[in-house]
Amino acid sequence: MGFDAIDVIVTKRGRGALSTDQIDWVIDAYTRGAVADEQMSSLLMAILLNGMDRREIADWTQAMIRSGERMDWSALDRPTADKHSTGGVGDKITLPLAPLVAACGAYVPQLSGRGLGHTGGTLDKLESIPGWRASLSNDEMLGVIRAAGAVVCAAGSGLAPADKKLYALRDVTGTVESIPLIASSIMSKKIAEGTGSLVLDVKAGSGAFMKNVDDARELARTMVELGTDAGVRTVALLTAMDRPLGLAVGNALEVAESVEVLAGGGPADVVELTVRLAREMLEAAGLPYAKDPEEALKDGSAMDAWRRMISAQGGDPDAALPEAAEFVEVAAPATGVLTRLDALSVGVAAWRLGAGRARKEDPVSFGAGVMLHAKPGDLVTEGRPLMTLHTDDAARFERALQTLEGAYDIVQGGEPDLLPLVIDRITA
Ligand code: URA
């Protein structure tokens, strides 16, 4: 059907609803290069300002899915379950979670991305393991799933190519922060990935995409509706990102912390969220009475699945992880309760130390990052280490330290004012 890009733009500029045919046409024509970047930029801005209703968002998502391949796991003999996090500081949960859920009886095909900006990417973290390979063919993915129960790898370029082109355009036109566009972007990739069930971890707080709980709740609700409408059993948890998750922020540091969790230890918040998300994934996959995740962490079966998963992708689970060349400790300036530790500041500090990248093509430093020695609510003592900064390039310390100025409060007899770790649960 023939449409005109200007008519589509004018419809949305005038707060009208785009028809299914208009949406199908504009996504297809843009992906083929028949609608120009400047026209799509204008439409995206009109969507950001005027929104889309539920039917439009579902149509927009389906049109992006149809722009590429759709994966199919029907050859597998167990239900599939996936998790997606909207990203946060110290969010390494996928690493212990995927093998844990596999150890409890579901298959976990998880296509992940690299980090850009202050939140790290799961693939960057796993690539700090010597030999580990992120890029797999579809046959290799099936092989890893059959061997280990879980695979975490890079999404191929065939999955929702319309979203890749649109996301790059949104990045440079001030149109990323639109709930309909974020929700459709994330869900087009997750639905195309072909999982039967999906648990969303939507983060709220300074270190997250969504700074406040109301916006995070709206994003969660929109994504749950999109998944449900597409036949994927979808549930979302709204979780705290006002402070970092766990104690480690940075690629290899987070792998080490994840291995501690798989060994039955690790920071309480990482363990709690991993177990909670695992239970949600098993329930969404239709396996509520499978092995209990806490048990699988204790009896070593989750660790066994991790070792199989890493080895099946060429990694050596016993190899030493990269370490940074230079360290600096930040000492507590006073004695009292650490009442606040800002997630965004810690994330930006880790990024400035080399853990993240500024442009897509930049390398990351595997050893760089921040190790916390206290979390909000802990008592700290003047002069004792509050955190240690790790980098390969000592010239990076100065800007990282500047970022951390004003990032925390220590109050004698104080109480932390924190979001609950799990704020809410959103279902269809
Ligand atoms: N992540 C995505 O994949 N898409 C967005 O629009 C935002 C975050």
Short mmCIF file of all heavy atoms in Angstrom, two decimals, residues 334-385:
data_model
loop_
_atom_site.label_atom_id
_atom_site.label_comp_id
_atom_site.label_asym_id
_atom_site.label_seq_id
_atom_site.Cartn_x
_atom_site.Cartn_y
_atom_site.Cartn_z
N ALA A 334 34.11 10.46 57.72
CA ALA A 334 33.51 10.60 59.05
C ALA A 334 33.06 9.23 59.52
O ALA A 334 33.01 8.28 58.73
CB ALA A 334 32.29 11.54 58.97
N THR A 335 32.74 9.14 60.81
CA THR A 335 32.18 7.90 61.36
C THR A 335 30.66 8.06 61.46
O THR A 335 30.17 9.12 61.85
CB THR A 335 32.78 7.63 62.76
OG1 THR A 335 34.18 7.40 62.58
CG2 THR A 335 32.15 6.42 63.43
N GLY A 336 29.93 7.05 61.06
CA GLY A 336 28.46 7.12 61.14
C GLY A 336 27.84 6.11 60.19
O GLY A 336 28.51 5.21 59.69
N VAL A 337 26.55 6.29 59.94
CA VAL A 337 25.83 5.38 59.04
C VAL A 337 25.91 5.94 57.61
O VAL A 337 25.66 7.14 57.39
CB VAL A 337 24.36 5.24 59.47
CG1 VAL A 337 23.57 4.38 58.48
CG2 VAL A 337 24.27 4.65 60.87
N LEU A 338 26.26 5.08 56.68
CA LEU A 338 26.21 5.47 55.27
C LEU A 338 24.73 5.50 54.89
O LEU A 338 24.08 4.46 54.81
CB LEU A 338 26.98 4.44 54.42
CG LEU A 338 27.08 4.73 52.92
CD1 LEU A 338 27.91 5.98 52.64
CD2 LEU A 338 27.68 3.53 52.19
N THR A 339 24.18 6.72 54.74
CA THR A 339 22.73 6.80 54.52
C THR A 339 22.38 6.90 53.04
O THR A 339 21.24 6.67 52.66
CB THR A 339 22.14 8.03 55.24
OG1 THR A 339 22.86 9.18 54.81
CG2 THR A 339 22.20 7.88 56.74
N ARG A 340 23.37 7.27 52.19
CA ARG A 340 23.09 7.41 50.75
C ARG A 340 24.34 7.10 49.97
O ARG A 340 25.44 7.51 50.37
CB ARG A 340 22.63 8.85 50.47
CG ARG A 340 22.20 9.12 49.04
CD ARG A 340 21.79 10.59 48.85
NE ARG A 340 22.94 11.49 49.01
CZ ARG A 340 23.73 11.88 48.01
NH1 ARG A 340 23.52 11.48 46.78
NH2 ARG A 340 24.75 12.69 48.24
N LEU A 341 24.21 6.36 48.88
CA LEU A 341 25.33 6.12 47.96
C LEU A 341 24.72 6.12 46.57
O LEU A 341 24.02 5.18 46.17
CB LEU A 341 25.99 4.77 48.28
CG LEU A 341 27.15 4.37 47.37
CD1 LEU A 341 28.26 5.42 47.38
CD2 LEU A 341 27.72 3.02 47.79
N ASP A 342 24.95 7.19 45.84
CA ASP A 342 24.23 7.43 44.59
C ASP A 342 24.69 6.50 43.46
O ASP A 342 25.87 6.49 43.09
CB ASP A 342 24.43 8.89 44.18
CG ASP A 342 23.74 9.21 42.88
OD1 ASP A 342 22.52 8.97 42.79
OD2 ASP A 342 24.42 9.66 41.94
N ALA A 343 23.74 5.75 42.91
CA ALA A 343 24.07 4.76 41.87
C ALA A 343 24.69 5.41 40.64
O ALA A 343 25.70 4.93 40.11
CB ALA A 343 22.80 4.00 41.47
N LEU A 344 24.09 6.52 40.18
CA LEU A 344 24.59 7.14 38.95
C LEU A 344 26.05 7.57 39.11
O LEU A 344 26.88 7.33 38.24
CB LEU A 344 23.72 8.35 38.57
CG LEU A 344 24.17 9.10 37.31
CD1 LEU A 344 24.15 8.19 36.10
CD2 LEU A 344 23.28 10.32 37.06
N SER A 345 26.38 8.19 40.25
CA SER A 345 27.76 8.67 40.45
C SER A 345 28.74 7.51 40.43
O SER A 345 29.83 7.62 39.84
CB SER A 345 27.88 9.41 41.79
OG SER A 345 26.89 10.40 41.87
N VAL A 346 28.39 6.40 41.08
CA VAL A 346 29.30 5.24 41.09
C VAL A 346 29.44 4.68 39.67
O VAL A 346 30.54 4.32 39.22
CB VAL A 346 28.80 4.16 42.09
CG1 VAL A 346 29.68 2.91 42.02
CG2 VAL A 346 28.78 4.72 43.51
N GLY A 347 28.32 4.64 38.94
CA GLY A 347 28.35 4.13 37.56
C GLY A 347 29.21 5.01 36.66
O GLY A 347 30.01 4.51 35.87
N VAL A 348 29.08 6.32 36.81
CA VAL A 348 29.88 7.23 35.97
C VAL A 348 31.35 7.13 36.37
O VAL A 348 32.25 7.15 35.51
CB VAL A 348 29.34 8.69 36.07
CG1 VAL A 348 30.27 9.65 35.37
CG2 VAL A 348 27.93 8.77 35.48
N ALA A 349 31.63 6.98 37.67
CA ALA A 349 33.03 6.83 38.12
C ALA A 349 33.65 5.58 37.50
O ALA A 349 34.76 5.61 36.96
CB ALA A 349 33.09 6.78 39.65
N ALA A 350 32.91 4.45 37.52
CA ALA A 350 33.43 3.20 36.94
C ALA A 350 33.68 3.38 35.44
O ALA A 350 34.69 2.92 34.90
CB ALA A 350 32.44 2.06 37.19
N TRP A 351 32.76 4.09 34.81
CA TRP A 351 32.88 4.35 33.36
C TRP A 351 34.15 5.18 33.10
O TRP A 351 34.94 4.87 32.22
CB TRP A 351 31.61 5.07 32.94
CG TRP A 351 31.54 5.53 31.54
CD1 TRP A 351 31.56 4.74 30.42
CD2 TRP A 351 31.42 6.87 31.08
NE1 TRP A 351 31.45 5.52 29.30
CE2 TRP A 351 31.35 6.84 29.68
CE3 TRP A 351 31.34 8.12 31.72
CZ2 TRP A 351 31.23 7.99 28.91
CZ3 TRP A 351 31.21 9.26 30.96
CH2 TRP A 351 31.16 9.18 29.58
N ARG A 352 34.36 6.22 33.92
CA ARG A 352 35.54 7.06 33.73
C ARG A 352 36.84 6.32 34.03
O ARG A 352 37.91 6.67 33.53
CB ARG A 352 35.44 8.31 34.61
CG ARG A 352 34.37 9.23 34.08
CD ARG A 352 34.39 10.60 34.72
NE ARG A 352 33.56 11.50 33.94
CZ ARG A 352 32.99 12.59 34.41
NH1 ARG A 352 33.16 12.92 35.67
NH2 ARG A 352 32.27 13.36 33.63
N LEU A 353 36.75 5.29 34.86
CA LEU A 353 37.95 4.48 35.16
C LEU A 353 38.27 3.53 34.00
O LEU A 353 39.32 2.89 33.99
CB LEU A 353 37.74 3.69 36.45
CG LEU A 353 37.68 4.56 37.72
CD1 LEU A 353 37.12 3.76 38.90
CD2 LEU A 353 39.07 5.10 38.07
N GLY A 354 37.35 3.42 33.03
CA GLY A 354 37.61 2.59 31.84
C GLY A 354 36.70 1.39 31.71
O GLY A 354 36.83 0.62 30.76
N ALA A 355 35.76 1.19 32.66
CA ALA A 355 34.90 0.00 32.61
C ALA A 355 33.87 0.08 31.48
O ALA A 355 33.40 -0.95 31.02
CB ALA A 355 34.18 -0.18 33.94
N GLY A 356 33.50 1.30 31.05
CA GLY A 356 32.49 1.45 30.00
C GLY A 356 33.08 2.16 28.80
O GLY A 356 34.26 2.51 28.78
N ARG A 357 32.24 2.37 27.80
CA ARG A 357 32.71 3.02 26.58
C ARG A 357 31.88 4.26 26.29
O ARG A 357 30.71 4.35 26.68
CB ARG A 357 32.66 2.05 25.40
CG ARG A 357 31.36 1.30 25.23
CD ARG A 357 31.33 0.55 23.91
NE ARG A 357 32.15 -0.63 23.86
CZ ARG A 357 31.85 -1.80 24.41
NH1 ARG A 357 30.71 -1.93 25.06
NH2 ARG A 357 32.65 -2.82 24.32
N ALA A 358 32.52 5.25 25.60
CA ALA A 358 31.81 6.46 25.22
C ALA A 358 31.18 6.29 23.85
O ALA A 358 30.11 6.81 23.58
CB ALA A 358 32.77 7.64 25.21
N ARG A 359 31.87 5.57 22.94
CA ARG A 359 31.33 5.31 21.60
C ARG A 359 31.28 3.80 21.40
O ARG A 359 32.08 3.07 21.98
CB ARG A 359 32.22 5.94 20.54
CG ARG A 359 32.15 7.47 20.52
CD ARG A 359 33.26 8.03 19.67
NE ARG A 359 34.52 7.39 20.06
CZ ARG A 359 35.60 7.33 19.30
NH1 ARG A 359 35.61 7.86 18.12
NH2 ARG A 359 36.70 6.75 19.74
N LYS A 360 30.34 3.39 20.51
CA LYS A 360 30.10 1.95 20.31
C LYS A 360 31.38 1.17 20.02
O LYS A 360 31.55 0.04 20.43
CB LYS A 360 29.16 1.75 19.11
CG LYS A 360 27.71 1.96 19.40
CD LYS A 360 26.83 1.16 18.46
CE LYS A 360 26.97 1.56 17.00
NZ LYS A 360 26.35 2.85 16.67
N GLU A 361 32.33 1.84 19.28
CA GLU A 361 33.49 1.09 18.82
C GLU A 361 34.64 1.09 19.84
O GLU A 361 35.65 0.44 19.63
CB GLU A 361 33.95 1.56 17.43
CG GLU A 361 33.95 3.04 17.04
CD GLU A 361 32.61 3.77 17.13
OE1 GLU A 361 31.52 3.17 16.94
OE2 GLU A 361 32.63 4.96 17.43
N ASP A 362 34.49 1.80 20.96
CA ASP A 362 35.57 1.85 21.96
C ASP A 362 35.75 0.50 22.65
O ASP A 362 34.77 -0.20 22.90
CB ASP A 362 35.24 2.89 23.06
CG ASP A 362 35.25 4.31 22.54
OD1 ASP A 362 35.78 4.52 21.42
OD2 ASP A 362 34.73 5.19 23.23
N PRO A 363 37.01 0.16 23.03
CA PRO A 363 37.20 -1.05 23.86
C PRO A 363 36.87 -0.74 25.32
O PRO A 363 36.83 0.42 25.71
CB PRO A 363 38.69 -1.35 23.71
CG PRO A 363 39.32 -0.02 23.43
CD PRO A 363 38.28 0.83 22.73
N VAL A 364 36.61 -1.78 26.12
CA VAL A 364 36.46 -1.54 27.56
C VAL A 364 37.67 -2.15 28.27
O VAL A 364 38.32 -3.04 27.74
CB VAL A 364 35.17 -2.18 28.15
CG1 VAL A 364 33.93 -1.57 27.54
CG2 VAL A 364 35.16 -3.68 28.00
N SER A 365 37.96 -1.63 29.47
CA SER A 365 39.01 -2.23 30.28
C SER A 365 38.32 -3.25 31.20
O SER A 365 37.43 -2.89 31.97
CB SER A 365 39.71 -1.14 31.09
OG SER A 365 40.33 -1.71 32.20
N PHE A 366 38.74 -4.51 31.11
CA PHE A 366 38.04 -5.55 31.88
C PHE A 366 38.25 -5.41 33.38
O PHE A 366 37.37 -5.71 34.17
CB PHE A 366 38.48 -6.94 31.41
CG PHE A 366 38.02 -7.26 30.02
CD1 PHE A 366 38.92 -7.68 29.04
CD2 PHE A 366 36.69 -7.13 29.66
CE1 PHE A 366 38.50 -7.96 27.75
CE2 PHE A 366 36.24 -7.41 28.38
CZ PHE A 366 37.15 -7.82 27.42
N GLY A 367 39.44 -4.96 33.78
CA GLY A 367 39.74 -4.92 35.22
C GLY A 367 39.22 -3.67 35.91
O GLY A 367 39.16 -3.61 37.14
N ALA A 368 38.86 -2.62 35.13
CA ALA A 368 38.52 -1.32 35.73
C ALA A 368 37.18 -1.36 36.44
O ALA A 368 36.29 -2.15 36.09
CB ALA A 368 38.49 -0.26 34.63
N GLY A 369 37.01 -0.48 37.42
CA GLY A 369 35.71 -0.36 38.08
C GLY A 369 35.85 0.11 39.52
O GLY A 369 36.89 0.64 39.94
N VAL A 370 34.77 -0.08 40.26
CA VAL A 370 34.70 0.37 41.66
C VAL A 370 34.30 -0.83 42.52
O VAL A 370 33.33 -1.52 42.20
CB VAL A 370 33.64 1.49 41.83
CG1 VAL A 370 33.53 1.92 43.29
CG2 VAL A 370 33.98 2.69 40.94
N MET A 371 35.05 -1.08 43.58
CA MET A 371 34.66 -2.09 44.57
C MET A 371 34.20 -1.34 45.82
O MET A 371 34.97 -0.57 46.40
CB MET A 371 35.89 -2.91 44.95
CG MET A 371 35.94 -4.39 44.73
SD MET A 371 34.59 -5.26 44.03
CE MET A 371 33.95 -6.07 45.48
N LEU A 372 32.95 -1.54 46.21
CA LEU A 372 32.43 -0.88 47.41
C LEU A 372 32.80 -1.71 48.63
O LEU A 372 32.82 -2.95 48.57
CB LEU A 372 30.91 -0.77 47.32
CG LEU A 372 30.35 -0.06 46.08
CD1 LEU A 372 28.83 -0.17 46.05
CD2 LEU A 372 30.78 1.40 46.06
N HIS A 373 33.07 -1.03 49.73
CA HIS A 373 33.32 -1.75 51.00
C HIS A 373 32.18 -1.55 51.98
O HIS A 373 32.19 -2.10 53.08
CB HIS A 373 34.66 -1.31 51.61
CG HIS A 373 35.80 -1.50 50.67
ND1 HIS A 373 36.15 -2.72 50.16
CD2 HIS A 373 36.63 -0.60 50.08
CE1 HIS A 373 37.16 -2.59 49.32
NE2 HIS A 373 37.46 -1.31 49.26
N ALA A 374 31.22 -0.71 51.60
CA ALA A 374 30.04 -0.49 52.47
C ALA A 374 28.85 -0.17 51.58
O ALA A 374 29.01 0.35 50.47
CB ALA A 374 30.30 0.68 53.42
N LYS A 375 27.66 -0.50 52.08
CA LYS A 375 26.41 -0.22 51.38
C LYS A 375 25.55 0.67 52.27
O LYS A 375 25.73 0.67 53.50
CB LYS A 375 25.65 -1.53 51.15
CG LYS A 375 26.39 -2.51 50.27
CD LYS A 375 26.04 -2.35 48.82
CE LYS A 375 24.64 -2.84 48.52
NZ LYS A 375 24.32 -2.72 47.10
N PRO A 376 24.59 1.39 51.70
CA PRO A 376 23.73 2.21 52.55
C PRO A 376 23.12 1.37 53.68
O PRO A 376 22.68 0.24 53.47
CB PRO A 376 22.65 2.70 51.58
CG PRO A 376 23.35 2.73 50.26
CD PRO A 376 24.27 1.54 50.27
N GLY A 377 23.17 1.94 54.89
CA GLY A 377 22.70 1.22 56.08
C GLY A 377 23.87 0.71 56.92
O GLY A 377 23.71 0.45 58.11
N ASP A 378 25.07 0.58 56.30
CA ASP A 378 26.24 0.09 57.05
C ASP A 378 26.85 1.22 57.88
O ASP A 378 26.83 2.39 57.48
CB ASP A 378 27.32 -0.44 56.10
CG ASP A 378 26.90 -1.73 55.40
OD1 ASP A 378 25.88 -2.32 55.81
OD2 ASP A 378 27.60 -2.14 54.46
N LEU A 379 27.44 0.81 59.00
CA LEU A 379 28.20 1.74 59.83
C LEU A 379 29.60 1.84 59.26
O LEU A 379 30.22 0.81 58.96
CB LEU A 379 28.26 1.15 61.25
CG LEU A 379 28.63 2.10 62.38
CD1 LEU A 379 27.62 3.24 62.49
CD2 LEU A 379 28.66 1.31 63.70
N VAL A 380 30.11 3.06 59.04
CA VAL A 380 31.47 3.22 58.52
C VAL A 380 32.30 4.05 59.51
O VAL A 380 31.76 4.82 60.29
CB VAL A 380 31.47 3.88 57.11
CG1 VAL A 380 30.71 3.02 56.11
CG2 VAL A 380 30.89 5.29 57.15
N THR A 381 33.62 3.85 59.43
CA THR A 381 34.51 4.50 60.39
C THR A 381 35.45 5.44 59.67
O THR A 381 36.03 5.08 58.64
CB THR A 381 35.35 3.41 61.12
OG1 THR A 381 34.45 2.45 61.65
CG2 THR A 381 36.20 4.00 62.24
N GLU A 382 35.60 6.64 60.20
CA GLU A 382 36.47 7.67 59.59
C GLU A 382 37.85 7.08 59.29
O GLU A 382 38.44 6.41 60.14
CB GLU A 382 36.60 8.86 60.55
CG GLU A 382 37.40 9.99 59.95
CD GLU A 382 37.51 11.19 60.88
OE1 GLU A 382 36.78 11.23 61.89
OE2 GLU A 382 38.31 12.07 60.58
N GLY A 383 38.33 7.31 58.08
CA GLY A 383 39.66 6.86 57.69
C GLY A 383 39.71 5.44 57.14
O GLY A 383 40.70 5.03 56.54
N ARG A 384 38.63 4.67 57.34
CA ARG A 384 38.60 3.29 56.81
C ARG A 384 38.07 3.31 55.37
O ARG A 384 37.29 4.19 55.01
CB ARG A 384 37.68 2.40 57.67
CG ARG A 384 38.00 2.39 59.13
CD ARG A 384 39.13 1.48 59.48
NE ARG A 384 38.85 0.10 59.11
CZ ARG A 384 39.78 -0.84 58.97
NH1 ARG A 384 41.05 -0.53 59.14
NH2 ARG A 384 39.44 -2.06 58.64
N PRO A 385 38.49 2.34 54.53
CA PRO A 385 38.09 2.40 53.11
C PRO A 385 36.58 2.26 52.89
O PRO A 385 35.94 1.38 53.47
CB PRO A 385 38.83 1.24 52.47
CG PRO A 385 39.54 0.52 53.53
CD PRO A 385 39.39 1.24 54.83
#
